[in-house]
Every structure is written in C-alpha cells, then in structure tokens.
C-alpha cells in the first residue's frame, strides 16, 4: 500500500486549451506515453478511459491486478480505478478519455452503464480482439483523431456519437458468441 495518497488526475492535466479539455482527450498512445511519463506510477483518474494497443507488450495493473498487454489488447477504466503500466518502448495504439458529463450530455448514464464495459466489480477490464475487429475499432479511432484535430461545426456532437458507436462495438465484441478472428 502506498504511504502517501495516490494522485488523482483530471483531463485538463493532459491537454489544456483543446477542444473541450475538461471533458475529452484523444491521443496516439506512443505520443501520450512520451509526453506524460508521470502516468507510469500508480494513480487514479476522475474520467473514463479506453486504451487500444496496436503494438507492443508489457503489463497493465488495474486495481492491483496485473494484466498482460499485447497487440489487440483493449482496456476500459472507470473513474477512481487505480492503474499503472510497464510497457515496451514500441508500444502504440490509441487512448481516449471522456468525462461522464461529456457522454451524458447526449446519452443517458443508464446507457453508459448498460454497456457494462466500465463495471469494475462485475467485468474484466481487459478485452482482446482479432485483426478484423481491430480494423473496425481503428477506423473509428482515426475518425475521432481527424475530428478532434480539425474541429468544425458540431464536432463535439460527432465525437460523442463516435464514442457511443465504439462502446456499442466493444459491447458486441465482448458478448459475441463467435470467436474473435485472428486472421484477415
């Protein structure tokens, strides 16, 4: 157990002066890791996190349980969860933060809870997907990147909808009776 309280980070700690820096953050994982090295030690957040690994390996410790990281690993963290990681230098992918307020301004909190991806008591915070599913997720992450990088009219609305589509896809993948494809 740490001798001092764990730091609790807020979205503006990562991106001041962006589109909606108090409620939304998106970055390529390699850039995020290089820019925010303070996140390697155990800490908490007051927002939701989705991490998608497209390459690399290592470990991700969430609420004091350690999970392997590999290409195709995805993690879902709720506000208040403790986490840290040790990743290989070639680790890359995508990381997305959003506040409950950002999502629930368009969709209900009930809807967010129905996906059960962020229920740390009942669900496993890690999911692995195959290359076909990864292509679909990467496509939406690239759309989020494009919209976030070049905001225009209704950008926030579109970002909220992209997050919702991602949550639907993750939920479908998680609950699919069909094994994930490892081949293209």
């Amino acid at each position: 157990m740490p001798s001092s309280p764990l730091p609790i980070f807020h979205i503006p700690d990562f991106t001041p002066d962006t589109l909606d820096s108090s409620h939304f953050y998106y970055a390529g994982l390699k850039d995020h890791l290089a820019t925010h090295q303070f996140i390697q030690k155990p800490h908490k957040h007051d927002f939701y996190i989705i991490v998608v690994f497209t390459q690399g390996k290592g470990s991700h410790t969430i609420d004091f349980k350690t999970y392997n990281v590999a290409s195709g690993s995805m993690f879902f963290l709720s506000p208040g969860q403790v986490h840290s990681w040790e990743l290989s230098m070639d680790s890359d992918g995508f990381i997305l933060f959003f506040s409950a307020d950002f999502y629930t301004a368009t969709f209900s909190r009930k809807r967010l809870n129905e996906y059960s991806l962020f229920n740390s008591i009942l669900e496993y915070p890690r999911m692995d997907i195959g290359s076909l599913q990864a292509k679909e997720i990467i496509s939406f992450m690239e759309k989020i990147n494009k919209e976030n990088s070049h905001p225009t009219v209704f950008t926030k609305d579109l970002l909220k909808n992209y997050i919702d589509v991602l949550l639907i896809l993750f939920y479908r993948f998680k609950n699919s009776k069909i094994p994930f494809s490892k081949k293209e």
Side-chain angles (χ1 to χ4, degrees), residues 121-134:
I121 296 171
L122 300 176
E123 296 293 332
Y124 192 60
R126 178 181 187 251
M127 178 170 53
D128 291 304
I129 62 172
S131 60
L132 292 177
Q133 293 84 5

Side-chain angles (χ1 to χ4, degrees), residues 82-170:
V82 176
H83 81 117
S84 62
W85 45 33
E86 292 183 26
L87 302 171
S88 62
M89 294 298 291
D90 66 333
S91 293
D92 203 0
F94 309 95
I95 191 161
L96 174 67
F97 303 163
F98 62 94
S99 70
D101 290 343
F102 186 79
Y103 183 83
T104 60
T106 302
F107 303 101
S108 71
R109 183 174 294 274
K110 180 181 178 201
R111 183 175 175 124
L112 182 61
N113 293 337
E114 284 175 350
Y115 294 134
S116 71
L117 297 164
F118 300 101
N119 188 333
S120 61
I121 296 171
L122 300 176
E123 296 293 332
Y124 192 60
R126 178 181 187 251
M127 178 170 53
D128 291 304
I129 62 172
S131 60
L132 292 177
Q133 293 84 5
K135 282 184 181 181
E136 195 167 3
I137 297 303
I138 290 168
S139 171
F140 275 95
M141 289 295 195
E142 289 170 345
K143 289 176 183 183
I144 289 171
N145 182 43
K146 183 178 177 184
E147 194 65 31
N148 190 50
S149 299
H150 305 288
T152 186
V153 65
F154 296 118
T155 287
K156 286 186 198 178
D157 295 315
L158 193 52
L159 290 172
K160 291 172 194 175
N161 280 283
Y162 284 153
I163 290 170
D164 193 58
V165 169
L166 279 172
L167 295 177
I168 290 168
L169 291 173
F170 290 134

Side-chain angles (χ1 to χ4, degrees), residues 22-67:
S22 60
H23 297 288
F24 178 83
Y25 170 85
Y26 170 87
L29 187 59
K30 186 177 277 301
D31 292 339
H32 177 78
L33 294 171
T35 309
H36 305 98
Q37 294 184 5
F38 60 89
I39 61 171
Q40 294 186 24
K41 294 183 179 181
H43 61 277
K44 296 180 182 183
H45 299 275
D46 68 349
F47 48 85
Y48 293 92
I49 303 172
I50 299 172
V51 185
V52 177
F53 287 90
T54 58
Q55 68 180 46
K57 56 187 172 187
S59 64
H60 191 178
T61 302
I62 303 169
D63 291 338
F64 309 102
K65 290 183 183 176
T66 301
Y67 304 92

